Amino acid sequence: MMTDVLVAHSSDVEKANFYKKTYLHVALSILAFIGVETILLKTVPAELIAMMFAQRYIWLLIIGVFWLASVLASKWSLSQSKSTQYLGLGFYILLEAIIFLPLLFIATNMTGGSNVIFQAATLTIAMFAGISAVAFTSKRDFSFLRNIILIGGFISIGLIVGGMIFGFNLGLWFSVGMVILASATILYQTSKLKDSYGTNQYVGAALQLFASIMLLFWYILSILMSRRN
């Protein structure tokens, strides 16, 4: 039976173990994503990938399914059962690999695409590290970001859905805004790790951070790709 003490109320040793396990799982999730994505890019037919974004309603359906499945995966990752937690994390990694398939397919087939992906990944990791450092070293309370993130999230979802239905391009500044939103989310999540999770919920904490990292990576890559075009 696992004891589930809130990280904020645990000992310094338990806190250190929680953070170490959380960020280890974030790193392993990223590596797993790279592995799964590589396999998908090599095995999924180009025609099938093209179908994912050729029809906006198909892409809208994919995003809807992704959102519902993400909620389920997140719930699993916070279970008291370790096997269920890992099932949730693994399922979410697979979902991310699928949702990224069209974007990375386009990126890998454009001139200098591999370099663009590497640049986006490097910027994402650097920003994540910097934001995490701010969250851990600053004594400021970042709770005020919660409402900003919620409102920004709803607005962004509305714009994305509207863009798909009515066929308008959200453009560069939307991507810039999403980078800011993802960065704020990472800052808020990191600052609240100790208050939101028990010492045995590092898998769930890793999933939330991984999700925000992937959101950040998506829009950084989108910006770099748009500059190439």
Side-chain angles (χ1 to χ4, degrees):
M1 182 74 178
M2 294 190 300
T3 57
D4 195 19
V5 180
L6 197 66
V7 174
H9 299 155
S10 63
S11 67
D12 289 341
V13 173
E14 288 174 322
K15 287 178 183 176
N17 285 333
F18 170 80
Y19 288 126
K20 181 173 70 175
K21 289 178 180 178
T22 296
Y23 284 94
L24 174 62
H25 280 75
V26 171
L28 292 175
S29 298
I30 293 172
L31 291 175
F33 168 82
I34 293 171
V36 174
E37 194 69 49
T38 301
I39 293 172
L40 291 178
L41 286 170
K42 290 182 177 180
T43 57
V44 177
E47 295 79 10
L48 182 58
I49 298 175
M51 285 178 58
M52 292 177 67
F53 57 87
Q55 298 292 329
R56 59 177 179 264
Y57 293 110
I58 293 178
W59 186 237
L60 187 61
L61 176 63
I62 291 171
I63 289 180
V65 172
F66 172 78
W67 180 79
L68 291 173
S70 297
V71 173
L72 179 61
S74 181
K75 183 178 180 180
W76 285 347
S77 70
L78 294 173
S79 168
Q80 289 297 313
S81 167
K82 272 288 186 289
S83 58
T84 305
Q85 288 181 21
Y86 282 109
L87 176 63
L89 180 59
F91 183 46
Y92 189 80
I93 292 169
L94 177 60
L95 290 174
E96 284 283 8
I98 293 172
I99 208 77
F100 263 87
L101 194 54
L103 182 66
L104 288 175
F105 176 78
I106 295 171
T108 53
N109 285 281
M110 66 186 293
T111 304
S114 297
N115 188 43
V116 171
I117 294 172
F118 177 76
Q119 289 175 357
T122 302
L123 284 171
T124 301
I125 293 171
M127 288 183 66
F128 174 70
I131 294 167
S132 300
V134 170
F136 279 115
T137 58
S138 175
K139 295 182 180 180
R140 186 172 182 179
D141 183 5
F142 293 103
S143 298
F144 69 93
L145 289 174
R146 183 177 182 274
N147 289 335
I148 296 174
I149 293 167
L150 285 174
I151 295 170
F154 281 119
I155 292 173
S156 63
I157 290 172
L159 288 172
I160 291 170
V161 173
M164 290 178 181
I165 294 175
F166 300 109
F168 59 83
N169 186 5
L170 294 173
L172 174 63
W173 288 109
F174 176 79
S175 295
V176 172
M178 290 303 294
V179 167
I180 295 172
L181 182 64
S183 300
T185 303
I186 292 170
L187 181 59
Y188 174 76
Q189 288 175 336
T190 305
S191 68
K192 290 298 179 182
L193 282 176
K194 66 181 184 299
D195 300 314
S196 303
Y197 298 96
T199 52
N200 289 307
Q201 292 182 311
Y202 48 84
V203 176
L207 185 149
Q208 297 301 322
L209 289 173
F210 172 69
S212 297
I213 291 169
M214 298 312 295
L215 179 65
L216 181 62
F217 175 59
W218 177 286
Y219 284 102
I220 289 177
L221 180 58
S222 297
I223 291 171
L224 294 180
M225 288 172 63
S226 68
R227 288 173 61 85
R228 283 296 182 100
N229 292 333

